[in-house]
Amino acid sequence: MVPYRRARVRYAVATAVAAMAFTSAAGATISAFHEIEARQANAAAIASAAEVERSAFVALVDEETGVRGYVATGDAAFLEPYWAGSARYAAYRSHGRPVPDRLAGAALSHFGARGDTLQRYFRDERVAVGRGDRAGALAALPAGKAEFDRLRAEDAGASDALRGALAVQGAAMSEAVRTARSAMVVIALVLIGVVAAAALIVRRENTMVLLARRDALTDLPNRRAFDEHLEGALARRRHEELAVLYVDLDGFKPVNDRLGHAAGDAVLAACGERLRSVLRPSDFIARLGGDEFAAIVTVDSADDAAAIASRIEAALDRPFAVHAETASLGASVGVVLVPHAGVTPREVLRAADDAMYRVKRGRTAGAAS
């Protein structure tokens, strides 16, 4: 499996793991927010119950005050706070709502039961005075006071239970908030990891794409890159002249045979360096394969193209020092101008190849004569 495919597999596995982590964290976040909402609702219900219970206790205090005044004086005007308190307490008992806490609910039940007992006591006292039995009502006052003291204890117990219930809801809410924060941190880390992994795989794939278009020996673009560049250059050409130079090394095979393949590779690498040195940064030079190179250059005229070919020949004619040996080569450079040589990359390259062979035959004939 080629490296970028392995990277894709690793990325797919990492993405699957990240997706599971993301799903789990998202679920935990949603659950935590639901928990927070529930706890907030519970806390609001408990706080409301505490407020209503306090109001009910005040109503009972008003009732007790009114009844005591009425028993002490026999004057019905003293019953005014009793009637107001009795109405408020009756409303409290008729609109009671469940409290989302077992202990607080039990404490409120005890408070309500004690309050109901006092309601009966207040009524009996009022009725006794109304029928003229103030002496009996006065005799019952100590028992009523004791009952009211027990109510105060129930009120204190209910208040403590409600405060405890609020504390429980607050602690649970804080824990849910911490859970939500932790889950959101996981989500953020997962997203960062996925983005980083995606960037890594893209970078690796881009590297592999570049390597697929690069000659490993000379570090020049390869045949595939040359074909793509030539096609693009032909498509973009407007008014400037393009020249394609086909370079074939002369005498490379004897050097390769005499000094070995490692030395031959070193010579080819050196040829790549020399070709780069004589061409401009805007020119494009590639190794087509073996001992053949090709360049795409912008020129003003055929003479300009011929001058570039001469510089290439001069650069490659100089001896190469390889492994304490000297290797002498030469180069045959075929030059064609676009569009005179054709309009497609294949036509242009074939024309340049033909031009190179004409130059090589001429050099061979000249050497023989």
Side-chain angles (χ1 to χ4, degrees):
M1 186 180 291
V2 297
Y4 80 91
R5 287 183 179 171
R6 288 198 298 269
R8 280 177 178 267
V9 171
R10 288 194 295 269
Y11 178 64
V13 172
T15 301
V17 173
M20 289 188 290
F22 181 88
T23 302
S24 177
T29 302
I30 293 171
S31 297
F33 278 116
H34 287 166
E35 179 71 8
I36 291 169
E37 290 176 356
R39 296 297 182 175
Q40 285 176 332
N42 289 347
I46 293 169
S48 176
E51 182 179 355
V52 171
E53 187 274 338
R54 174 50 44 181
S55 177
F57 177 75
V58 172
L60 288 168
V61 170
D62 290 344
E63 287 190 69
E64 198 261 353
T65 300
V67 167
R68 278 184 173 277
Y70 181 52
V71 170
T73 65
D75 186 353
F78 281 93
L79 287 176
E80 183 177 346
Y82 164 78
W83 293 117
S86 179
R88 296 201 309 276
Y89 183 78
Y92 164 74
R93 291 300 280 165
S94 63
H95 294 91
R97 295 188 180 123
V99 179
D101 183 89
R102 184 179 59 81
L103 294 178
L108 288 174
S109 295
H110 294 157
F111 171 81
R114 190 67 62 185
D116 292 346
T117 300
L118 278 170
Q119 290 296 297
R120 291 190 292 272
Y121 164 76
F122 294 149
R123 185 178 61 251
D124 291 345
E125 289 287 270
R126 179 175 55 79
V127 169
V129 174
R131 69 169 180 249
D133 187 13
R134 281 185 62 220
L138 285 170
L141 283 178
K145 181 180 181 305
E147 189 64 30
F148 203 87
D149 288 342
R150 285 189 284 272
L151 175 71
R152 290 182 187 278
E154 297 291 356
D155 171 64
S159 296
D160 289 343
L162 289 166
R163 282 194 293 271
L166 278 175
V168 169
Q169 298 300 321
M173 196 183 310
S174 297
E175 180 62 28
V177 169
R178 285 192 292 271
T179 300
R181 286 176 177 169
S182 298
M184 286 189 287
V185 168
V186 171
I187 290 173
L189 291 176
V190 167
L191 292 177
I192 292 171
V194 169
V195 171
L200 178 61
I201 190 67
V202 168
R203 186 164 64 250
R204 286 186 175 178
E205 289 197 13
N206 288 340
T207 300
M208 296 306 298
V209 168
L210 291 174
L211 291 176
R213 287 162 174 77
R214 181 71 53 179
D215 176 57
L217 180 60
T218 62
D219 199 34
L220 292 175
N222 59 16
R223 175 63 179 265
R224 179 179 179 182
F226 178 84
D227 291 342
E228 291 174 352
H229 192 87
L230 179 57
E231 184 176 8
L234 293 175
R236 292 189 302 270
R237 195 186 73 83
R238 292 295 181 265
H239 303 294
E240 71 277 6
E241 291 276 5
L242 284 180
V244 174
L245 289 72
Y246 203 110
V247 181
D248 183 80
L249 300 181
D250 296 329
F252 176 72
K253 187 176 183 305
V255 172
N256 203 39
D257 293 340
R258 180 169 60 89
L259 300 179
H261 291 290
D265 289 346
V267 169
L268 289 174
C271 288
E273 290 292 334
R274 292 189 186 184
L275 289 170
R276 265 193 293 257
S277 68
V278 298
L279 294 176
R280 299 162 298 186
S282 59
D283 297 331
F284 186 85
I285 179 69
R287 182 189 177 205
L288 301 184
D291 59 354
E292 295 180 341
F293 300 82
I296 304 169
V297 298
T298 301
V299 295
D300 296 325
S301 64
D303 291 340
D304 192 11
I308 295 174
S310 295
R311 290 204 303 272
I312 290 174
E313 290 174 351
L316 298 180
D317 278 344
R318 298 197 308 270
F320 295 87
V322 182
H323 300 167
E325 298 277 352
T326 299
S328 296
L329 301 176
S332 298
V333 182
V335 181
V336 295
L337 298 179
V338 178
H340 308 297
V343 294
T344 68
R346 179 175 294 183
E347 292 172 344
V348 172
L349 195 58
R350 183 185 300 117
D353 189 25
D354 291 343
M356 181 273 294
Y357 273 108
R358 286 195 296 272
V359 171
K360 187 179 285 289
R361 284 195 295 270
R363 288 166 66 93
T364 302
S369 61

